[in-house]
Amino acid sequence: VRAAAARALARGIRHDARRRRTVPAPRARADAAGRLGFGAVAAALAVCLLFGLAWFRFEQPVETTYRTAMGDLRAIPLADGSRITLSSDSTVRVSLGRRERHVVLDRGEAFFDVAKDRSRPFVIVAGERRVRVVGTRFAVRRGGEAGVGLRVIVTQGLVQLESGPGADGRARASTLLPP
């Protein structure tokens, strides 16, 4: 009986003499459960890592368009804590990304109260000009019927005004506008 029990134990099976039956050895059962548990945890971590990397790499910010009719005034709170006050007969497109907060002023005038976030500058594009800030208060007006001309009025902070490329294709120097 002892020899049979020793052979069974070597194969991962234990003989219980009191109950007269053969049962799996506790160690073999624990090893199998441990291997199965470790594999499941590793697979779950791999799936989470894969989805996390895909989300981080391929997330595209959603662009939202805001408009006002002639004679209207609209206050727009943004998810980052900034606020846009859209003047009469104006249109802006807003997208808040991980690296940049981007606004396109298609028409009219808007007042911006920008929340500070050094890792994500706030950029307003109006025609071929760009206004870049981190945290400040200012107004931007895109002028004329043809959308030509730009007026920036700074009430607090510092604003960087960048022009589009010149006739030769080179970038023009930017201007810092104080209040």
Side-chain angles (χ1 to χ4, degrees), residues 5-178:
R7 283 191 305 271
L9 190 56
R11 289 182 295 176
I13 299 174
R14 181 178 60 142
H15 182 73
D16 189 350
R18 285 177 281 168
R19 295 188 182 158
R20 296 184 183 191
R21 64 185 180 133
T22 303
V23 295
R27 185 172 184 217
R29 221 178 320 156
D31 287 347
R35 283 191 304 269
L36 179 63
F38 177 75
V41 168
L45 284 174
V47 168
C48 288
L49 181 65
L50 180 67
F51 279 115
L53 288 174
W55 175 79
F56 183 76
R57 181 171 171 112
F58 298 113
E59 180 205 359
Q60 296 294 322
V62 176
E63 184 176 84
T64 307
T65 302
Y66 299 97
R67 291 183 177 89
T68 54
M70 185 65 74
D72 284 348
L73 187 67
R74 182 175 178 190
I76 305 162
L78 301 180
D80 70 337
S82 298
R83 187 175 186 86
I84 300 174
T85 303
L86 205 52
S87 189
S88 174
D89 194 27
S90 299
T91 304
V92 293
R93 291 178 282 144
V94 179
S95 61
L96 302 177
R98 236 190 311 266
R99 295 192 177 117
E100 181 180 81
R101 300 170 288 174
H102 192 83
V103 176
V104 176
L105 179 60
D106 289 322
R107 167 189 190 111
E109 182 176 18
F111 181 79
F112 299 90
D113 187 355
V114 179
K116 285 189 178 186
D117 186 349
R118 293 199 184 280
S119 65
R120 294 188 315 157
F122 199 94
V123 176
I124 296 96
V125 176
E128 289 188 8
R129 299 215 174 170
R130 290 171 37 108
V131 178
R132 181 182 166 101
V133 298
V134 173
T136 190
R137 297 176 68 164
F138 62 100
V140 178
R141 176 156 185 80
R142 189 167 179 179
E145 288 297 317
V148 179
L150 184 72
R151 184 178 67 197
V152 179
I153 300 170
V154 181
T155 59
Q156 178 185 338
L158 195 62
V159 171
Q160 181 179 3
L161 179 62
E162 301 171 352
S163 297
D168 58 358
R170 291 186 188 175
R172 296 181 188 166
S174 61
T175 306
L176 290 176
L177 304 174

